[in-house]
Amino acid sequence: MSPILVFSVIAGYFVVLLGISHFTSKKADNTTFFTANRQSPWYLVAYGMVGASLSGVTFISVPGEVGNSGWTYLQFVMGNMVGYAVIALVLIPLFYKLRLVSIYEYLRDRFGHKSYLAGASFFLISQTIGASFRLFLAAVVLQIAFFDAFGIPFSVTVLVTILLIWLYTFRGGIKTIVWTDTLQTTFLLLAVVISIFVIMSHMDLGAEKVFSVVAESDLSNIFDWNWKSDRNFYKTFLAGVFITIAMNGLDQNVMQKNLTCKNKGEAQKNIFWFSITFFFSTLLFLALGVLLYKYAIDQQIPIPERTDDLYPLLALNHFGIFAGVVFLIGIVAAAFSSADSALTALTTSFCVDILDLEKKKGDQKKIRLGVHIGFTILMFLVIVIFNAINDTSVVSAVFKVAGFTYGPLLGLFAFGLITSRPVKDRFVPIVCVLSPIISFILDMNSTEWFYGYQFGFEILLVNAAITYFGLWMLYNKRPGFL
């Protein structure tokens, strides 16, 4: 695919996003940026969230990871479905009842100001890392498809990518994102469907034959019952439940979109319909992964050492121009739908939770803009650093990091919702810092200490349990003296 064609596709797509931004950001203020005035149609939010949840990680890493672990990722997604039900039935009613802008305001009301800052800070750390990992994938594809041809360094690619996102989000914020996500979801799913049809055409496979190829492949194995494996069904399923609660229900990025719905009932419908669509979309990506490996083997194309590179390699170099263009739009859409909302959520949380923007004197809109720029720069630096040290599949890296950084959040909210026990607020940040440190030590030594047992995604549960226990030990007999 020629660099000029790549540039034309990206430029055209970006012009469309700017157009949507222009129409959705008219008369926008801070309330519009943070909550979209709570007027978003639930079905629009549900459809758009598919693209944001799949993101560049799923788009590239999940098909590639099939070569390493088959369909065991589906065990995790099965747990996700239970997690989404908990979000819809427990968290959505709570957040709507309290009329929150930032969901971490709940921690202030339940525990105190120090707990509130600790929760918000862990979100800021978690989301900055996670969003940067996802955007990293898009930058890699753009580097291969366009920037390498002109000898442009990867850091410049990252800078251009993140600046494009900043330009169409800095005015309308979450209102713009709700609408751009629908476009991006469409392109993301279209890219996968077209890729499957291209493989079917090249390998002369009919619909029934494709189904049997996928079903009979050794790569389509779903369940792992080995208790020592980090992909064991029980711990992967449970991790799927609680990571969903933590990374969606306790994540300002995702919940900010849900809280733009008109009322609790519409937000719940949004969650249920989104979760069903998400499950079947994941099946589509896993099927694509099997077909990608079969295609590469049949065509005698060397499998890249990094599994994340397989789909981009085939789509951009072997599937033809049309499929390559659609893939390019798909990966850009996937990355943008994840990173744009993350940038907005980070800005919202920092302004509301850390700065308490409503109480600030002066031009509050200008302050918000400065925060938005600051997080744009921070994400750029994290991506560049990650590129220098990355040596594993991004899909594994994202959730591994999440196990450590979202654990304290899960522990805080669980303790607050399950108990009415008051705590010594000033010591809560110490517990939140020690929990991931202890979890990391356990993870690094689990094989030696626990007879060969390896932690997987369930390290999140260990982390949350340590936080919960630590909060229990902080019982405050005199709640007025925190």
Side-chain angles (χ1 to χ4, degrees), residues 25 48 55 82 97 141 158 168 177 204 230 246-247 259 270 294 301 313 331 342 348-349 363 371 396 412 426 471:
S25 60
S55 77
V82 177
K97 179 182 178 181
V141 173
V158 174
Y168 75 83
I177 288 165
D204 196 24
D230 63 352
M247 293 185 66
L259 296 178
N270 154 52
K294 180 170 179 56
I301 300 171
L313 171 71
I331 183 57
T348 299
S349 179
D363 190 341
V371 173
S396 297
L412 279 168
R426 67 181 182 276
L471 294 173

Side-chain angles (χ1 to χ4, degrees), residues 220-269:
S220 298
N221 180 52
I222 298 174
F223 300 103
D224 184 343
W225 304 107
N226 179 7
W227 73 273
K228 292 184 178 180
S229 170
D230 63 352
R231 295 280 178 169
N232 171 265
F233 171 77
Y234 296 108
K235 57 186 179 182
T236 304
F237 178 86
L238 287 174
V241 175
F242 289 101
I243 281 183
T244 296
I245 295 172
M247 293 185 66
N248 290 268
L250 307 181
D251 186 296
Q252 180 66 21
N253 182 7
V254 178
M255 292 308 295
Q256 190 168 0
K257 296 176 185 178
N258 294 317
L259 296 178
T260 67
C261 293
K262 296 177 182 179
N263 53 55
K264 177 191 73 174
E266 292 204 354
Q268 288 176 315
K269 283 194 292 186

Side-chain angles (χ1 to χ4, degrees), residues 169-410:
T169 60
F170 81 96
R171 289 187 299 176
I174 195 66
K175 183 178 180 180
T176 296
I177 288 165
V178 167
W179 286 91
T180 56
D181 275 359
T182 61
L183 177 72
Q184 292 165 341
T185 296
T186 300
F187 280 122
L188 188 152
L189 296 177
L190 187 63
V192 177
V193 171
I194 289 177
S195 295
I196 291 175
F197 274 108
V198 168
I199 294 174
M200 291 171 60
S201 176
H202 284 195
M203 299 180 64
D204 196 24
L205 298 174
E208 291 185 5
K209 183 64 175 176
V210 165
F211 181 83
S212 63
V213 165
V214 173
E216 296 169 8
S217 173
D218 292 338
L219 296 178
S220 298
N221 180 52
I222 298 174
F223 300 103
D224 184 343
W225 304 107
N226 179 7
W227 73 273
K228 292 184 178 180
S229 170
D230 63 352
R231 295 280 178 169
N232 171 265
F233 171 77
Y234 296 108
K235 57 186 179 182
T236 304
F237 178 86
L238 287 174
V241 175
F242 289 101
I243 281 183
T244 296
I245 295 172
M247 293 185 66
N248 290 268
L250 307 181
D251 186 296
Q252 180 66 21
N253 182 7
V254 178
M255 292 308 295
Q256 190 168 0
K257 296 176 185 178
N258 294 317
L259 296 178
T260 67
C261 293
K262 296 177 182 179
N263 53 55
K264 177 191 73 174
E266 292 204 354
Q268 288 176 315
K269 283 194 292 186
N270 154 52
I271 290 291
F272 282 123
W273 280 105
F274 151 70
S275 63
I276 293 170
T277 308
F278 173 74
F279 182 84
F280 286 104
S281 298
T282 303
L283 283 176
L284 198 64
F285 278 92
L286 291 169
L288 173 63
V290 174
L291 294 173
L292 288 174
Y293 279 95
K294 180 170 179 56
Y295 177 86
I297 293 171
D298 287 355
Q299 301 296 314
Q300 298 183 334
I301 300 171
I303 304 295
E305 184 176 344
R306 281 190 359 142
T307 58
D308 289 344
D309 294 338
L310 178 63
Y311 189 16
L313 171 71
L314 297 180
L316 296 174
N317 298 295
H318 298 278
F319 285 176
I321 292 179
F322 177 69
V325 167
V326 175
F327 167 82
L328 187 61
I329 296 176
I331 183 57
V332 172
F336 279 18
S337 65
S338 175
D340 56 12
S341 58
L343 192 55
T344 301
L346 288 166
T347 302
T348 299
S349 179
F350 195 85
C351 288
V352 174
D353 301 325
I354 306 300
L355 297 182
D356 198 2
L357 188 60
E358 286 189 357
K359 296 182 180 179
K360 289 288 183 182
K361 296 180 180 180
D363 190 341
Q364 294 182 359
K365 192 172 182 179
K366 188 175 181 180
I367 295 174
R368 187 204 76 206
L369 181 61
V371 173
H372 204 213
I373 294 173
F375 276 108
T376 302
I377 296 171
L378 180 60
M379 284 179 65
F380 164 75
L381 294 175
V382 172
I383 294 170
V384 171
I385 293 171
F386 179 64
N387 180 58
I389 63 176
N390 178 47
D391 61 355
T392 187
S393 171
V394 175
V395 69
S396 297
V398 168
F399 291 117
K400 194 70 172 181
V401 170
F404 295 111
T405 57
Y406 277 90
L409 279 175
L410 182 58

